[in-house]
Amino acid sequence: MPPKPQVSPLASGRTYRGIGPAARDADRRARLLAAGLDAFGTRGYPASSIEALCSAAGVSTRNFYDHFANREALLIAVYDEIVTAAQAELASALGAVVAGSPIAVWARAGIEAFTGFMLEDPRRARVNFIEVVGASQAVERHRRAVLGQFAALLRATVEALIASGQLSARSGAVKHVQVAVLIGGVQESITDWVSTAEDERMPLGDVVDALVEIVVLVAN
């Protein structure tokens, strides 16, 4: 009888060097996400093949498909990591503003937190504002749903300011448009800043100041 083939502990799902299968899977997924952020945020989504992503992450293509159905799914996962952290930064900044503060204080807190997080690592901004836009119908639907989450957070802030008497009551349509203007203005401003050559960019502080002024004008 031929000898029984040896099965690698990595393939069998057994613990290997003190690391269990769940931890190995989590590590591979984290490495793929990191590789996706770097590739999509530098070379761009269209120029990033699955083979190149796997090579950068140090995983096999089989391992890739264990975690992601396709390259599009990895793009969405990278995007979700970015926006989840950005939403947390925004919510924390708005939550720290003292009740009754002027509109400009609320606006600056939110805009500085959001832009600061996105531009702390320009790859985040490129993925969030350039690479996911129109990448596919599925990605675009997902992106629109995420924008809806940001809008809900900002509408809640507007409602709180109305309740405190700092803003006059608005119709639902007006509030919807106000929030859309804010989200679109911030997104386009960051996209423009990231897309401009470094030696031609205006100071980021000036961009934030202008956005705050616009928010105050729209709010009033």
Side-chain angles (χ1 to χ4, degrees):
M1 177 180 293
K4 187 176 181 180
Q6 296 296 310
V7 178
S8 164
L10 294 179
S12 67
R14 297 200 300 270
T15 297
Y16 178 69
R17 293 183 179 176
I19 303 174
R24 290 198 302 274
D25 277 348
D27 177 65
R28 292 188 191 108
R29 188 176 192 278
R31 281 186 277 146
L32 283 166
L33 286 169
L37 173 63
D38 188 58
F40 303 151
T42 55
R43 295 190 299 276
Y45 175 67
S48 303
S49 68
I50 288 178
E51 291 74 15
L53 289 162
C54 290
S55 178
V59 303
S60 68
T61 53
R62 181 181 65 78
N63 289 147
F64 179 94
Y65 289 110
D66 285 341
H67 296 282
F68 302 103
N70 47 39
R71 190 171 54 114
E72 177 185 88
L74 176 59
L75 175 64
I76 289 174
V78 171
Y79 173 64
D80 282 348
E81 273 210 331
I82 295 169
V83 296
T84 297
Q87 287 171 347
E89 291 285 334
L90 179 59
S92 176
L94 293 175
V97 176
V98 176
S101 295
I103 301 299
V105 174
W106 288 91
R108 184 170 296 279
I111 291 169
E112 285 184 342
F114 186 76
T115 57
F117 174 79
M118 284 295 176
L119 297 177
E120 178 183 35
D121 184 344
R123 297 176 302 175
R124 297 170 181 164
R126 178 166 176 175
V127 171
N128 195 78
F129 302 121
I130 298 174
E131 298 305 318
V132 297
V133 179
S136 71
Q137 289 185 347
V139 173
E140 187 61 19
R141 283 195 300 270
H142 188 78
R143 187 180 76 89
R144 298 301 305 174
V146 168
L147 290 179
Q149 296 170 8
F150 276 102
L153 174 59
L154 295 177
R155 279 197 296 271
T157 302
V158 170
E159 292 290 354
L161 291 171
I162 291 173
S164 68
Q166 292 175 266
L167 284 178
S168 58
R170 300 285 203 275
S171 69
V174 170
K175 284 184 287 189
H176 178 83
V177 172
Q178 283 177 322
V179 169
V181 167
L182 173 58
I183 291 175
V186 171
Q187 286 199 129
E188 186 55 33
S189 296
I190 295 177
T191 302
D192 180 70
W193 195 87
V194 169
S195 302
T196 301
E198 287 190 36
D199 60 344
E200 297 178 6
R201 291 173 182 165
M202 69 173 66
L204 184 57
D206 291 352
V207 177
V208 172
D209 288 344
L211 286 169
V212 170
E213 183 175 347
I214 291 169
V215 171
V216 172
L217 288 172
V218 171
N220 292 328

